[in-house]
Amino acid sequence: MVRPVTPLLDRVHTPADLKRFTDDELVRLADELRAETISAVSETGGHLGAGLGVVELTVALHAVFDTPRDKLIWDVSHQCYPHKILTGRRDRIRTLRQKDGLSGFTKRSESPYDPFGTAHSSTSISAALGFATARDLGGATDHGIGDAIAVIGDGSMSAGMAFEAMYNAGHLDKRLSVILNDNEMSIAPPVGALSSYLSRLYAGAPFHDLKAAAKGALSLLPEPFYEGARRARDVFKHAAVGGTLFEELGFEYIGPIDGHSIPMLLSVLRTVKARADGPVLIHAITRKGKGYAPAERALDRGHGVGKFDVVTGAQKKTPSNAPSYTRVFAEALLQHAAEDDRITAITAAMPDGTGLNLFAERYPSRCFDVGIAEQHAVTFAAGQAAGGLKPFCALYSTFLQRGYDQVVHDVAIQRLPVRFPIDRAGLVGADGATHAGSFDIAFLANLPGFVVMAAADEAELKHMVATAVAHDEGPIAFRFPRGEGVGVEMPERGVPLEIGKGRIVRAGSGVAILSFGTRLSEAEQAADALARRGITPTIADARFAKPLDRDLILKLVRDHEALITIEEGAVGGFGSHVAQLLADEGVFDHGLKFRSMVLPDIFIDQASPREMYAVAAMNAGDIEARVLDLLGVARIGAARA
């Protein structure tokens, strides 16, 4: 593959190297950085559009500020690939999101230029304020603490946590810079006039003149860009009566400015660094996917892509033999929604990822994207349930964590029949530990009255959607992984399952394997391998972690000398509940051999899902080895050797 020619970028090993470039060279450097980002992501896949939208901003920030002493925090940080290239990681940039490679997000253990790890949204301002406070109270890091800068997108700014941080920052009045990366509107200012207008400011104008200049600079924009910038400013500025929202919160507001103009960015950032003495918000207008036509044309501006051809933008996708779990859920929900107009769907800024874009197209009045606001999503669903609707609050497992208090207080305690489809359950692959769905079994199954299910395959998922539709006695959740199903025959429509009842998948003797979730297929492969050794385990699908199928579990322990549970979750979940049942029933008093296979007590770094489950020792070979060890077969073999 031909890689871009990058003579200026080749001279950059750390951000300090940018200080030796002229402003004109920084403009050319940004072009090279964009080309290198496109080239790298074409080989690895990943988040493309967000990084392309902040190339100029990344160059300007590193040219003006003194990282890693100055703490630069990227909210969510899926836009951090250009930042990684400039901060000594270019030689590894083509290992992005791969096993033993660079993370797709900022990560403290990876580089001192990543002072705070992010991957979930709306945390950057809080973290930056924490650094500013540590600086002022004499805190220390290996590289010192200078300025604190948070770069946050307009989507992330919509979340309550961002405004909680803004309120606190305004109250504390710490020197802090927040850059609002607003890519909702496109802006293309003329060359020269607008840039030169602000470039004169650094020469000596008082800081407050910069605000006035940024406001007045709008008049230099031609139509329709003037109107676009004015509307962008008004959206944020006129939300508070009697003043601007950000100024009412205690911030100096500058903008909107062109986030793709290196001269303008340099002028504003240099002035802020030299003269700001309190919290400042810089409102920069950018375009997601900027500078790469296929990304700019895409509906999501190239947000998440697979490997692709740089010339055409065509992505290289492996053909699938089975539907994705997400699509199975979405289509099953549509079937029921066609027959029951009380069914609603709620997502928190992830309509495509959760499959609810299909629901929104068919039933727009019953589908609600609440933005990055999981707490609100859960209580919004609770209110709908209290009002007689059947809400499906579809969230990724990792993002449901953000709404846990509402799950407990607003849903579970009131026994409201909110349905929780939990996507991305278990280990998710390239997004790594920050997006793993490891904890939902444990934190939901310990709530009184909560029904918790896990689909063993795509057909089971369809039945669980039907079960959730029919269940009106309290909250119910069903979890399913990222990716494709296992290729089982699909029913025409789902049938409600009996609550708290599992199933025997394969009858055997000696040892029973009780699976909760999609490790079932791995357990069956392990059983096939064990059969060749003359061992025929019973395989059961629990279906429910809460309530447990007490009769099934006690029958398994009566009929077998050993029992192994397996789940795609952390300790404290399904296996722990089974162990509690067995302890309460006095089963351990009579010599049952029991093991619980759960995710290990570590955060597993990005790799393919299979590689991650190998680290967790939960693939078919690992299950086979656990059975042999439990029965003493492996030890006998080792002793003979």
Side-chain angles (χ1 to χ4, degrees), residues 427 433 438-439 569-572 597-604 615-618:
L427 303 176
S438 305
F439 309 112
V571 66
M597 298 181 71
V598 298
L599 295 178
D601 191 24
I602 59 173
F603 291 106
I604 300 176
V615 173
M618 295 180 71

Side-chain angles (χ1 to χ4, degrees), residues 270-397:
R270 285 167 177 162
T271 304
V272 168
K273 183 169 178 60
R275 302 180 183 276
D277 57 5
V280 177
L281 185 133
I282 301 167
H283 183 179
I285 306 295
T286 62
R287 181 173 178 81
K288 197 172 183 179
K290 171 73 173 177
Y292 185 53
E296 291 191 23
R297 288 195 300 266
L299 291 176
D300 65 352
R301 301 289 190 266
H303 175 73
V305 299
K307 298 177 183 180
F308 62 91
D309 181 275
V310 171
V311 176
T312 65
Q315 297 185 47
K316 304 166 185 176
K317 294 190 175 180
T318 305
S320 170
N321 295 319
S324 73
Y325 282 99
T326 301
R327 189 166 190 91
V328 169
F329 155 68
E331 292 180 347
L333 186 62
L334 281 176
Q335 275 188 316
H336 293 282
E339 301 163 358
D340 188 342
D341 60 11
R342 293 177 300 159
I343 291 175
T344 64
I346 299 167
T347 179
M350 300 294 289
D352 293 351
T354 59
L356 292 188
N357 56 319
L358 302 178
F359 196 103
E361 291 168 6
R362 188 83 58 85
Y363 304 110
S365 66
R366 289 193 271 153
C367 191
F368 306 92
D369 182 351
V370 301
I372 303 173
E374 291 84 2
Q375 291 175 302
H376 165 62
V378 173
T379 305
F380 180 45
Q384 289 191 13
L389 298 179
K390 293 184 173 183
F392 280 73
C393 186
L395 302 171
Y396 288 6
S397 172

Side-chain angles (χ1 to χ4, degrees), residues 47 50-51 54 72-84 96 103-107 114 116-124 151-153 156 303 434-435:
H47 294 101
V54 297
L72 175 58
I73 302 171
W74 298 91
D75 203 275
V76 182
S77 75
H78 53 249
Q79 74 280 60
C80 72
Y81 302 173
H83 160 80
K84 293 199 175 196
L96 271 169
S103 170
F105 304 100
T106 53
K107 189 174 183 180
D114 295 352
F116 197 85
T118 54
H120 290 197
S121 84
S122 316
T123 63
S124 60
V151 182
I152 182 168
S156 293
H303 175 73
T434 58
H435 285 60

Side-chain angles (χ1 to χ4, degrees), residues 28 33 58 117 149 167 192 197 237 354 379 392 436 443 556 609:
R28 298 201 301 275
L33 180 59
T58 304
I149 309 103
Y167 178 83
Y197 188 89
K237 292 199 68 182
T354 59
T379 305
F392 280 73
F443 70 61
L556 291 175

